[in-house]
Amino acid sequence: WEREMTIARGFRFDAERAIQAAAVVLRDRGPMDRMRLLKILYIASRKVLQETGKPILGGRASALENGPLHSEVYDQIKGDANDAQWRKFFRNIGHTVTLEDDPGRLDLSPLEIETLNQTADWAEQFETFELSRWTHDNLPDYQKNEPPPGSPNPISVNDILEALEFSPQESADVIAEQSAHDTFVASMEK
């Protein structure tokens, strides 16, 4: 039962890693539209998951009208999470996210940092809504869960792994390994 919940909800969300990942994207690029930032984080996390079997960002993935995103990061950006930790490093001006202070990047691997930067550089070829359209047209995990207008649909870890062409056994192994890691981290935090 616990494993099924993990699969549906997503891997454990790590706010510090999310903050550091967002800061990597914004550090050299300056203020950014939040939709663009959310798409870059989603795409980069998928790429790392495909390469390593571990996501940059855990938490719940959701399909919204403007494409996929990590729900907890979106909540933090919007201020819905009431997260003082996020607000310590970022400021919103309308729909623009600005890096106010550098959180460092010690929780991220060199591969994760490189992938975040490569994805942000790649995304520069698109206007923000073109990048959103790209996610609609090119991400099977979004297409499978495309929501009706105005309401989000969850994207399961299984849907992401299937879209990344993991076999059922590889998916089960990834989920089991990440679940064990998440349980260990949660026990260390108590």
Side-chain angles (χ1 to χ4, degrees), residues 3-173:
R3 186 167 170 206
E4 286 300 316
M5 287 179 54
T6 300
I7 294 168
R9 283 196 337 250
F11 299 128
R12 182 179 177 280
F13 179 67
D14 186 326
E16 287 182 32
R17 287 176 55 80
I19 288 167
Q20 290 177 23
V24 165
V25 173
L26 296 175
R27 184 177 292 115
D28 296 330
R29 292 165 190 85
M32 185 178 290
D33 180 87
R34 71 183 182 191
M35 182 168 41
R36 173 176 288 279
L37 175 61
L38 287 162
K39 299 303 166 250
I40 290 168
L41 292 172
Y42 187 85
I43 294 166
S45 191
R46 277 177 98 255
K47 287 180 181 182
V48 170
L49 178 61
Q50 186 170 29
E51 286 187 41
T52 69
K54 296 174 176 71
I56 296 174
L57 305 175
R60 295 180 325 274
S62 295
L64 278 71
E65 261 183 273
N66 288 321
L69 52 76
H70 292 279
S71 298
E72 289 90 346
V73 177
Y74 185 43
D75 290 346
Q76 288 182 327
I77 289 173
K78 291 187 312 181
D80 292 351
N82 196 21
D83 190 346
Q85 185 180 12
W86 179 269
R87 290 191 315 269
K88 178 178 171 186
F89 298 105
F90 302 98
R91 181 168 50 105
N92 292 341
I93 302 169
H95 286 265
T96 301
V97 180
T98 303
L99 180 64
E100 293 289 303
D101 194 14
D102 191 347
R105 49 192 186 182
L106 293 176
D107 291 336
L108 302 174
S109 73
L111 174 68
E112 291 168 331
I113 294 165
E114 178 182 354
T115 302
L116 286 160
N117 280 315
Q118 287 175 347
T119 303
D121 291 345
W122 166 84
E124 288 177 7
Q125 68 184 303
F126 301 105
E127 294 295 326
T128 298
F129 282 97
E130 290 174 330
L131 181 59
S132 172
R133 174 59 30 209
W134 184 92
T135 64
H136 289 230
D137 295 341
N138 294 283
L139 300 182
D141 38 320
Y142 176 79
Q143 293 165 350
K144 183 176 183 177
N145 297 286
E146 190 164 355
S151 61
N153 264 348
I155 301 174
S156 73
V157 172
N158 280 341
D159 289 344
I160 296 169
L161 293 171
E162 180 182 303
L164 295 173
E165 299 181 353
F166 280 67
S167 71
Q169 184 58 54
E170 290 169 329
S171 294
D173 292 346

